[in-house]
Amino acid sequence: EEIRTSPGALRVIPKPVTKFDELTEVKAKAAEETYEAGIQALLKNTREDAKRAYYLFNEANTFSPGYREAIEMIEQARFNATLKVVVQPSLISYRDWNFEPIVFGYNSNMFVKFYTPQQAEELNLEKVDHYIKVIVNGYQEGRAVITKKTESFSDSVKTGEKTVKGVKTPIYTKVTATLTTYTKKITGRGSINLTITDAGNRAEIKNEDIVADDTWSASWGTYSGDARALSESDQRLCQRKESYPERYHIENRVRKELDNRLSNELKYFYNKY
């Protein structure tokens, strides 16, 4: 087709050969071959062979869309290849912390699927591979820690002018100030436990505490002396007053970080399946 649209190519190859009929025939044979290979892989009844069957059926359907029961076999192969994980509800929680959206939001591996116990029962799953549970260990917020630092500053500032022999000359005066900077910090720490159990032998595959910290801080200042000796940023600092974090601010940031760390743990663990 490219040759037909190129005058230069047509001069070299004046009669390009089309193979559309042959291609159609070969695709039909390829669909048959990959479909049969998918059937044989599926009959081996292992997760890895079911994965291979899934890709083979997809390939057969690409060669010849709708070939035999390719669509149905794709879904069957994927189901057989899928690691089925039941998420057990946590009986102990902290406030409204809920990590189920993170667990059920896992989508890094198409061959891993999470179910609620109700879904597993409704679907009458013949085989469950893993049980997973996330428990909130707790959250603690420390008391505010205030530190201070005192510094001295001096500068020369223009305070007027004088005329000497008809020439105006600026007059500078030395000014000094003492700045005290206060910094308040409050740290919160939250912890959850991730447990993954083999459904066959009930052995714990993974039992790990996931911890996250977050620190809120704020600064303000006071001074004595002449404010003109201070920089603009230090003057703005002295305009601030002691402040406090919004209610649940640190806790919410800790929970968000726990969300991220739990998500990463699930990806790291289940991406190998």
Side-chain angles (χ1 to χ4, degrees), residues 90-99 134-142 188-193 247-256 258-259:
S90 173
L91 300 178
I92 303 173
S93 188
Y94 179 82
R95 288 159 46 87
D96 61 342
W97 286 20
N98 179 18
F99 293 93
V134 179
I135 297 176
V136 178
N137 293 329
Y139 172 77
Q140 290 182 329
E141 202 165 285
R189 165 172 285 195
S191 171
I192 60 177
N193 177 264
R247 192 179 184 187
Y248 305 132
H249 171 79
I250 303 173
E251 180 187 322
N252 289 336
R253 287 177 61 87
V254 167
R255 188 170 65 174
K256 184 176 181 181
L258 286 172
D259 283 345

Side-chain angles (χ1 to χ4, degrees), residues 175-247:
V175 293
T176 60
T178 299
L179 171 69
T180 301
T181 302
Y182 298 88
T183 301
K184 178 196 283 187
K185 292 185 178 181
I186 304 175
T187 298
R189 165 172 285 195
S191 171
I192 60 177
N193 177 264
L194 170 64
T195 303
I196 301 175
T197 304
D198 186 292
N201 55 24
R202 298 289 174 167
E204 285 189 353
I205 307 172
K206 187 177 185 67
N207 188 329
E208 182 175 349
D209 286 333
I210 302 172
V211 181
D213 301 274
D214 189 78
T215 300
W216 173 90
S217 65
S219 298
W220 69 96
T222 60
Y223 77 94
S224 60
D226 196 320
R228 293 176 297 176
L230 302 175
S231 66
E232 290 185 5
S233 61
D234 286 337
Q235 291 180 34
R236 288 194 297 270
L237 184 69
C238 292
Q239 293 172 0
R240 301 177 192 163
K241 302 297 181 183
E242 181 179 358
S243 60
Y244 304 85
E246 294 182 5
R247 192 179 184 187

Side-chain angles (χ1 to χ4, degrees), residues 32-262:
E32 180 183 0
E33 182 177 318
T34 50
Y35 184 89
E36 290 301 327
I39 294 293
Q40 294 305 313
L42 200 59
L43 288 173
K44 293 181 180 179
N45 202 28
T46 69
R47 279 193 68 237
E48 289 305 313
D49 285 305
K51 284 184 190 180
R52 181 166 172 268
Y54 171 83
Y55 291 113
L56 285 167
F57 290 132
N58 267 290
E59 195 172 357
N61 193 58
T62 300
F63 288 137
S64 180
Y67 182 81
R68 293 171 64 176
E69 292 85 23
I71 302 299
E72 293 82 353
M73 299 308 292
I74 287 171
E75 293 305 315
Q76 184 63 55
R78 180 173 177 175
F79 182 81
N80 291 7
T82 296
L83 189 83
K84 300 165 185 68
V85 185
V86 172
V87 181
Q88 296 178 313
S90 173
L91 300 178
I92 303 173
S93 188
Y94 179 82
R95 288 159 46 87
D96 61 342
W97 286 20
N98 179 18
F99 293 93
E100 286 189 357
I102 301 301
V103 177
F104 287 107
Y106 171 87
N107 58 4
S108 296
N109 184 343
M110 65 181 294
F111 296 111
V112 176
K113 186 172 176 59
F114 294 87
Y115 300 85
T116 65
Q118 293 78 12
Q119 288 172 333
E121 186 176 350
E122 290 170 2
L123 293 171
N124 195 25
L125 292 180
E126 293 183 5
K127 182 176 182 293
V128 173
D129 297 287
H130 291 172
Y131 291 108
I132 185 171
K133 180 181 284 189
V134 179
I135 297 176
V136 178
N137 293 329
Y139 172 77
Q140 290 182 329
E141 202 165 285
R143 299 180 63 180
V145 176
I146 299 177
T147 58
K148 69 176 185 177
K149 179 178 67 173
T150 301
E151 300 172 280
S152 296
F153 298 91
S154 63
D155 199 2
S156 294
V157 297
K158 182 180 178 180
T159 55
E161 291 181 334
K162 64 180 180 179
T163 302
V164 179
K165 295 181 181 181
V167 179
K168 289 184 177 182
T169 304
I171 299 172
Y172 289 94
T173 302
K174 185 178 181 180
V175 293
T176 60
T178 299
L179 171 69
T180 301
T181 302
Y182 298 88
T183 301
K184 178 196 283 187
K185 292 185 178 181
I186 304 175
T187 298
R189 165 172 285 195
S191 171
I192 60 177
N193 177 264
L194 170 64
T195 303
I196 301 175
T197 304
D198 186 292
N201 55 24
R202 298 289 174 167
E204 285 189 353
I205 307 172
K206 187 177 185 67
N207 188 329
E208 182 175 349
D209 286 333
I210 302 172
V211 181
D213 301 274
D214 189 78
T215 300
W216 173 90
S217 65
S219 298
W220 69 96
T222 60
Y223 77 94
S224 60
D226 196 320
R228 293 176 297 176
L230 302 175
S231 66
E232 290 185 5
S233 61
D234 286 337
Q235 291 180 34
R236 288 194 297 270
L237 184 69
C238 292
Q239 293 172 0
R240 301 177 192 163
K241 302 297 181 183
E242 181 179 358
S243 60
Y244 304 85
E246 294 182 5
R247 192 179 184 187
Y248 305 132
H249 171 79
I250 303 173
E251 180 187 322
N252 289 336
R253 287 177 61 87
V254 167
R255 188 170 65 174
K256 184 176 181 181
E257 180 58 25
L258 286 172
D259 283 345
N260 293 334
R261 295 189 180 186
L262 174 60

